[in-house]
Amino acid sequence: MVNFYKINKKTLIHLVFILASTSMFATILPTEAVECLVQPVYRFRKDKTPGREIIIKLKEGKLEGKIAVDITAGKTKETTEFLDKKEGYSELSILLPNTIGVKSDATVTIVIRQGKNIIKKTVNVPTMRHWNVYLYNHAHVDIGYTNTHKNVELLHKNNILEGIKLAEKTKTYPKGSQFVWNPEVTWPLERLWETQPEERTNVLNAIKSGFISVDASYSNTDTSVCSDEELFHLFNFSRKIQRLSGKPIDVFQQMDVPGISWGIIPVLNQQGIKYIMAWPNTDRAGFSHEGLDKKPLWWVGPDGKSKVLFLQPGQYANSGSMDKGGATGRPWFGQRDPQKVPLYIQTGDANVDFTKKLVDMEAEKYPYDFLVLSWSLWDNNPLDADIPDAVKKWNETHAYPQIIISGGHQIMEMIDKKYGDKLPVVKGDYTEFWTDGLGTAAKLAAMNRKSKEILTQSETLWSMLHPAKSAPRNEFEEAWRKIILGSEHTWCFEDPNDSYFQDAIFKVKKGYFIDAHERSIDLMDEALAPATEQANKTVPSGIAVFNTHSWNQSGTVTLSKEESGLGDKVVDDKGNPIPSQRLSTGELLFIASDVQALGSKHYRIEKGNSFSTKGCTINGTTLENSKVKVVVDEKTGNITQLIDLSTGQNFADTKVNGGLNAFRWLPGNVDAPKADTDISIKITENGPLVVELTISSKGEGCRSISRSVRLINNAKWVEINNVVDKLPLMEKDGIHFGFGFDVPQSKTRVDIPWGIMEVEKDQWAQGNRNWIAMQRWLDVSNDKKGITWCSLDAPLFEYGSMTANIALGWGWGSKAPWVKKLEPSSTIYSWVMNNHWFTNFPLTQDGPVSFRYRLMPHGEFNPLEANRFGLEQSQPLVHVLTEKDPKTKQLLTIDNEKVIVTILKQSEKEGEMIVRLRSLSDKTETAKIGFPSISPKSVNVCEIEENAGASVSNSVSILPYGMMTIKVQF
């Protein structure tokens, strides 16, 4: 206890203890009989200043009579008297002068004297600064996991209401011990707001009074799998509450999930959110805690300017609060009857002695004077009602460390003001770890990816076809909310072997995906409605094709058999025949060429045969068009040649897995991959517009595997559609598709939300390298050539080799073979399926799932071309049957091709529209915005949220790889 840590600087202090009485013991106590324990705390001296405590303890016997203690420290001398008491003293507590031991170590000499008798003692006093401990009270929000969604929602709503009551009860407590409840995310608050509107005034008053501290995000989310626009919707409800309450809601809390996408930084800046607090789990979290915990920093976004103050205090419940939670038996866990769940936990005790942590931080020479701790009894627990009294009791007897019950804003604002100008600045991606869970329900993950793209296009189409009209914002926002609930990190029960809770929770989670998809499709139909006509019992022969992008686009349009029943012939609006082809599926495919940016073209189906010119060819297992040539190996079904005909370069590296699109099954935790077998190949489309081969095979863990390879006339890319029909096996395994590209000395750049990340170079040391999530595309290229690879359904890839094979149980995730550094490679694997988790996710998945890929060879890397390609594949041309040409008028134009529109979004107010711009340039770009069809009343840049700021007179300037939000009023 005396030597807490190594002494850096010694100050000699003489403490003279004078024993004033004449009777103590028969003989003078030897020095060894007295033990001096230097405490890591400061108590209140008589003058109310803090004094370091030393406890003088007798190993045997007692001190009797009146005792006076003279304390000499340099030129400072103090006397402390202890009155005679009947039972005597077995120990004494003395407080040092208020400057001793605060900034440097000290050497203390103690002299004990009773009358003429003296005992001397020398003690080292290690440094202990005046610490403040900020305690963040919350219950970690898993939307599911510990109970049914209904019961979890009820518990968190009760926590808010009980938190208000407890805060009201303790509002007269001394500062620091007044209770503050942190809902952590806004999902509980939004559910309370919507389901119990009678509580809205109560809640708003509590927020205004500081009883409830609200943080910004709707949920704890896998941010790297969120789409660009989805990230904005994480903060919709908190922006509403901020406006209504007038209180700043400027902290993004991320609990449990290890890692955060780099692309969230510009979104936070746009939303007026200044801070991030991250509290990642330690399981399956790689190196996420190494060198990062408790070290605040400024995190700069991909645009080089947006930034937030970031703090990772450690894992949530780093206070030790789960010890108490576990001791209660967790009466909230797995309890079907909500009446049996207590409204709060109150045992009469809460251990708020955090001095051991502070002693360790002193030893580590921690550069700041604060410690931030989370107090959560577990996941989805009732609040701990003992905390304010425990903190009050501690603070009444300890000058330091002081404990301050806090909200996120108070904590981060303190760091910002006190240390903001002294903190390091970093860039890069904190690559997430728990995204692997998406592969446990691959069909649902793919569905959500599609829903996001459909909904984004629906927003833009609404603006195109309802110019200056209000949009059904509530319907759009509810669709986005369901998408977010799909991206939220909770899926199933803590114990997946409990069939009742596992099935009940997964049923609701699955419903989010399905509901989001249905709502997205419905909103697309509503957006297209102005282009359609009244039904008249006949299928319209006309087809309107819409381009939702800000550049002219060509692409395929595929009509169902029912839509194209009139014939196989397609003509444009001038009656010119358009190349088309009736597919083996009964669908009719044609090419819509050069559809105007944010505009449309009209086509018509007529009786007659498809019009065709010389196009694609297929000869055995060789497919070719005017741009690329593809050869499929007859024995493996892998692509052995992917040739760019303009250069003659083959991009397939057959030394890796024998070619591209190679199926591999991998058993959990064992590096023993198996290829598929029983290969059979057939021609499914003969051209001339489309040629396609389908490879059927058998694979471990699967009923069947199908891989289709398609070329479209004049398209410079290859289309792949793989279908894995998975068996519901409990044994841990994973499914991967390998793509080894022959691109020497390449760099791999990845599309992330609102940015482009170069693998390894742009990743934090603490980030995940075993698998990485992408948005729409990645690009493998050197200074002369490369290939852009799109994965439309599966977000995860591995770099270099199959490193995503960590299927360990509780507590073993930190001991897994996590990759520390990625060596340069031109090989990637699409990791499409797994059942590696032992909790929270489905243990099996059953049935067929499609995984679509697009591969486009090119010369030197061009971020604009890569991004356009990814967007055109993810957000293709949209069609609707209609006899009349809608003649969609272009709503706006951008005169700089390096600046694109990502979304047009109509407000609920008439004549109000939001435009989101993104730059794909490494330089600052200037772009002029034109309005050829409707003249706006005003155009303003939105510096914060979607509030009109500076007026745009002619053009806007956008940062390198930057994003901008503009409000247009017609």
Side-chain angles (χ1 to χ4, degrees), residues 99-241:
T99 60
I100 304 303
V102 180
K103 294 183 178 181
S104 60
D105 297 348
T107 299
V108 175
T109 300
I110 299 174
V111 179
I112 302 174
R113 184 165 59 89
Q114 178 186 26
K116 296 180 180 181
N117 300 319
I118 296 174
I119 298 176
K120 286 188 177 182
K121 193 80 175 179
T122 301
V123 175
N124 292 322
V125 178
T127 306
M128 197 71 183
R129 74 197 74 176
H130 292 167
W131 287 97
N132 287 311
V133 178
Y134 292 86
L135 201 58
Y136 182 89
N137 283 278
H138 67 115
H140 171 50
V141 180
D142 285 323
I143 305 179
Y145 194 59
T146 61
N147 212 314
T148 63
H149 285 77
K150 185 177 180 180
N151 285 352
V152 167
E153 179 181 320
L154 178 62
L155 182 145
H156 283 289
K157 291 189 296 189
N158 285 339
N159 275 347
I160 294 172
L161 298 177
E162 292 300 318
I164 293 171
K165 293 176 185 177
L166 187 56
E168 179 68 36
K169 179 181 176 182
T170 61
K171 69 181 181 181
T172 59
Y173 279 22
K175 188 177 179 181
S177 56
Q178 298 164 354
F179 190 71
V180 178
W181 182 246
N182 299 283
E184 183 180 291
V185 291
T186 59
W187 174 77
L189 188 60
E190 183 264 345
R191 291 291 81 206
L192 178 62
W193 189 271
E194 294 298 329
T195 60
Q196 295 175 240
E198 69 277 7
E199 293 289 350
R200 291 178 181 179
T201 300
N202 182 28
V203 167
L204 281 177
N205 288 337
I207 295 170
K208 292 174 183 179
S209 300
F211 296 171
I212 302 293
S213 179
V214 182
D215 292 308
S217 184
Y218 187 72
S219 61
N220 295 299
T221 299
D222 291 315
T223 53
S224 61
V225 301
C226 290
S227 69
D228 304 326
E229 193 62 25
E230 180 184 0
L231 287 175
F232 281 96
H233 293 270
L234 282 172
F235 309 108
N236 282 354
F237 190 72
S238 67
R239 300 308 87 194
K240 176 179 179 177
I241 296 300

Side-chain angles (χ1 to χ4, degrees), residues 840-858:
N840 188 42
F841 291 99
L843 297 181
T844 64
Q845 52 190 314
D846 188 10
V849 184
S850 295
F851 303 102
R852 298 166 295 155
Y853 306 96
R854 305 289 186 262
L855 286 66
M856 183 178 71
H858 59 77

Side-chain angles (χ1 to χ4, degrees), residues 588-607:
L588 182 68
L589 181 144
F590 70 93
I591 303 290
S593 299
D594 206 29
V595 182
Q596 187 182 53
L598 300 172
S600 66
K601 268 193 172 182
H602 195 255
Y603 299 87
R604 194 170 298 282
I605 303 170
E606 296 181 350
K607 291 182 180 180

Side-chain angles (χ1 to χ4, degrees), residues 223-291:
T223 53
S224 61
V225 301
C226 290
S227 69
D228 304 326
E229 193 62 25
E230 180 184 0
L231 287 175
F232 281 96
H233 293 270
L234 282 172
F235 309 108
N236 282 354
F237 190 72
S238 67
R239 300 308 87 194
K240 176 179 179 177
I241 296 300
Q242 181 174 260
R243 287 191 294 272
L244 292 172
S245 67
K247 300 289 282 188
I249 302 177
D250 54 7
V251 183
F252 171 61
Q253 297 283 352
Q254 179 79 312
M255 294 280 173
D256 212 6
V257 182
I260 301 173
S261 173
W262 190 15
I264 202 169
I265 306 304
V267 175
L268 294 177
N269 268 212
Q270 182 66 51
Q271 298 289 58
I273 298 163
K274 299 189 283 187
Y275 309 120
I276 292 177
M277 296 181 75
W279 311 77
N281 206 308
T282 56
D283 213 338
R284 298 183 68 83
F287 307 109
S288 60
H289 291 275
E290 290 190 8

Side-chain angles (χ1 to χ4, degrees), residues 706-777:
S706 172
R707 291 175 288 164
S708 296
V709 181
R710 173 183 284 194
L711 289 184
I712 298 167
N713 190 35
N714 290 326
K716 54 185 179 181
W717 61 85
V718 182
E719 297 189 357
I720 293 172
N721 184 29
N722 298 337
V723 180
V724 177
D725 192 350
K726 189 74 176 69
L727 288 168
L729 304 179
M730 291 289 290
E731 293 82 6
K732 301 298 184 185
D733 67 357
I735 305 295
H736 312 247
F737 288 100
F739 295 83
F741 297 115
D742 187 6
V743 185
Q745 298 178 316
S746 66
K747 296 178 181 179
T748 297
R749 300 170 177 91
V750 184
D751 178 32
I752 63 171
W754 300 112
I756 298 172
M757 178 195 78
E758 185 176 330
V759 167
E760 184 58 39
K761 177 186 172 184
D762 290 330
Q763 292 182 265
W764 284 12
Q766 295 81 8
N768 188 6
R769 286 159 172 78
N770 289 62
W771 58 86
I772 301 170
M774 55 174 278
Q775 281 291 291
R776 303 176 179 96
W777 58 270

